[in-house]
Structure formats: structure tokens, C-alpha cells
């Protein structure tokens, strides 16, 4: 089973990206090709061009074909769609540029496709994503409150996408499990998926929710076909470089989440209540974090940005429902 790896990068975190590439080269089962979609538009690529040309040459020397395409300012969904069109593998694996794969990641990922012939998508397990001492794991009352407010919670061997756009997240996986959505840092799909679906290019730039949107549509089109394995392991560093400033990020989050709620879920009373409770729960969480932080300014700004963004989304819900979701950033969105 051949694997094409697609990585979209802005070259803003070269140290992490270098570690990512090196972890691909060390795989026990190497991919057929790696497609690097270069979205840099601020000179970041020019600063590291020589270093990365040498790294990509090292990859070619290891027998992995490399395709490097430059798309200045490309959004993440557009970059992924371009990568899909260039890919030739039976399986297309999308990675963030700040992940580090364990040596048998690809080997164990592809085993799931063999063992589960109905699998249309497989995801590995990020080992550093959730602290096992997190209060939401340790205290059942907090878990119940988060369930009540539809903000999602942690569980073992369970994933569920909620209409609130939050989810039930497996903090520990003891076996191969089924999923309803994927996290974009590492997700793979059979080529067949892309004959029916593509990433939504209405979602611009960092495109919050694009991974949930695409994977949940796969789940609905091919029920029971998404899997996660605990054996394909990786680290996600979540480097802050290349991400939006906090106010823009929060505005994008609220508007894009409302758009995806209209797009993905039936507009019945139960789902609407779930979505509203999710917003209340999210605001409650960050208000508590503000009060327990000693009333730090940055925490206060987070709550303020959330309230402003929620009001902006609510005030423009009709245009958001129609897919007009970048009005708040007109003239700046590419």
C-alpha cells in the first residue's frame, strides 16, 4: 500500500519542520512521496531555502520522491486540495509541519487499512496532547458539567462529534477505535474519498475547523469508516509561529464554527440547544480561567474577544448560513 504525505507549511518554524522531515526519513515503512506545499509569502522560505533544499535532497537520497510546490498565501484547505491532486499513493497522509513521528508510525497506520477493509480514513495517536492529570479526567463532576454544557470531555476509547462543534476526545486508547472526526495534525484517507469530497476553500488561512468539517463529512458519507490506532504514535509540538493573533483567531473560531454548525448538522431544536450550550460552556471555562489566574490581562482579553466574536457571529448569522464567512476580514483574506 503506497502512501503519499502532504505537508502544508509557511516555513515559519524551520526547526520543527526539519524534525518532522527527519522522522519521515527514519520510518520503517517509508512513504512513496512527500508533497510540500509552500504557502510562505513573507520571505520565510528564502531564509531557509538552502538548508531545506539539502534536507529535501536527503529525503530523495533515501528513496522518497519529493514534490515542492509554491503557493504564496494559500489557505490550508486550498493547500490540501492541491496536495491531493498531486498525490499518487493509495493512501494520502496529511501532517502538520510541527509533528514528530515514531519510527513505525506509517507501518502501523497502514496496517489498519489492511485489517479493516472498510476503513476510509485512519489517524494515529498524539502522545503529548492530553495531560493525564487534567482535572477534566480526574474529577467526574467536572466531566458532567462539561457534558451538560456540551463543551466536550475526555474519555477512554471514545470519540464523538457534538453539534456544539466540540467533541468527546479519547485521552487514552487501548485498541483500534472508530471515530467521527479527525484532528488535522495527522490524518489519512484512501484516495477513493477524494473522488467525492474536497476540503472547503471557503475556510481561509489557518481555517479553524477544516479538519473536523472534512472528516465529519467522510464519516457521514461512509459511516463507520474512520479509525484511530494507538500504535501509530507521534508528538505534536503545536509551535505558535504561523498562527493568527488572538483576536483574529477568536473571531475566526466563532464565525467558522457557526458556519459549520449550519453546514453539518440538522437544524432541529436539540442541535440548536447543544450549540448554544457549547458557546456558554466555552465562555464559562475561560471566565473561570481568568478568575483563577489572578485576573491576568491576557485572560481578560480572551474573554472579551470571545464575547465580541460571539456577538459578531450572532448578528451576522443569516449571511454566515449562506456561506459568507469572511466579511469580517475583507481585504485581508487570501
Amino acid at each position: 500500500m503506497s502512501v503519499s504525505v502532504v505537508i502544508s507549511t509557511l516555513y515559519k518554524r524551520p526547526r520543527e519542520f526539519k524534525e518532522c522531515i527527519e522522522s519521515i526519513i527514519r520510518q520503517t515503512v517509508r512513504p512513496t512521496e512527500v508533497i510540500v506545499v509552500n504557502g510562505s509569502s513573507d520571505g520565510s522560505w528564502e531564509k531557509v531555502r538552502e538548508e531545506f533544499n539539502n534536507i529535501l535532497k536527503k529525503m530523495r537520497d533515501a528513496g522518497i520522491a519529493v514534490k515542492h510546490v509554491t503557493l504564496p498565501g494559500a489557505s490550508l484547505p486550498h493547500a490540501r486540495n492541491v496536495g491531493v491532486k498531486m498525490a499518487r499513493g493509495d493512501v494520502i497522509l496529511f501532517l502538520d509541519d510541527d509533528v514528530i513521528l515514531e519510527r513505525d508510525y506509517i507501518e502501523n497506520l497502514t496496517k489498519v487499512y489492511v485489517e479493516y477493509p472498510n476503513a476510509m480514513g485512519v489517524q494515529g495517536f498524539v502522545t503529548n496532547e492530553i495531560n493525564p492529570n487534567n482535572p477534566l479526567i480526574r474529577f467526574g463532576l467536572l466531566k458532567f458539567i462539561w457534558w451538560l454544557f456540551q463543551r466536550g470531555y475526555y474519555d477512554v476509547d471514545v470519540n464523538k462529534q457534538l453539534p456544539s462543534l466540540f467533541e468527546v476526545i479519547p485521552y487514552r486508547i487501548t485498541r483500534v477505535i472508530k471515530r467521527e472526526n479527525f484532528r488535522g495534525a495527522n490524518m489519512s484517507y484512501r484516495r477513493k474519498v477524494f473522488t467525492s469530497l474536497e476540503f472547503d476553500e471557503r475556510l481561509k488561512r489557518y481555517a479553524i475547523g477544516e479538519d473536523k468539517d472534512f472528516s465529519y463529512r467522510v464519516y457521514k458519507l461512509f459511516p463507520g469508516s474512520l479509525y484511530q490506532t494507538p500504535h501509530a504514535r507521534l508528538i505534536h509540538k503545536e509551535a505558535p509561529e504561523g498562527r493568527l493573533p488572538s483576536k483574529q483567531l477568536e473571531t475566526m473560531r466563532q464565525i467558522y464554527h457557526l458556519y459549520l454548525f449550519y453546514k453539518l448538522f440538522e437544524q432541529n431544536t436539540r442541535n440548536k440547544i447543544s450549540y448554544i450550550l457549547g458557546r456558554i460552556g466555552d465562555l464559562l471555562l475561560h471566565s473561570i480561567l481568568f478568575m483563577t489566574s489572578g485576573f491576568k490581562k491576557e485572560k481578560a482579553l480572551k474573554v472579551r474577544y470571545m464575547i465580541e466574536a460571539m456577538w459578531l457571529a450572532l448578528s451576522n448569522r443569516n449571511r454566515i448560513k449562506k456561506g459568507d464567512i469572511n466579511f469580517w476580514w475583507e481585504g485581508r483574506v487570501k
Side-chain angles (χ1 to χ4, degrees), residues 207-267:
I208 288 175
E210 56 83 29
D211 47 359
K212 289 185 181 182
D213 168 51
F214 185 83
S215 57
Y216 193 63
R217 284 187 285 134
V218 174
Y219 164 77
K220 292 199 294 184
L221 187 61
F222 304 101
S225 69
L226 298 183
Y227 292 87
Q228 184 174 23
T229 173
H231 308 299
R233 296 159 61 88
L234 71 159
I235 292 173
H236 186 200
K237 290 198 165 184
E238 296 192 89
E241 291 80 11
R243 304 187 189 277
L244 290 174
S246 57
K247 185 173 183 178
Q248 293 179 8
L249 190 69
E250 194 55 49
T251 304
M252 177 182 284
R253 185 191 313 278
Q254 298 300 332
I255 290 175
Y256 282 13
H257 277 189
L258 182 56
Y259 165 66
L260 294 177
F261 170 68
Y262 286 134
K263 176 182 177 181
L264 299 175
F265 297 96
E266 183 181 347
Q267 297 302 294

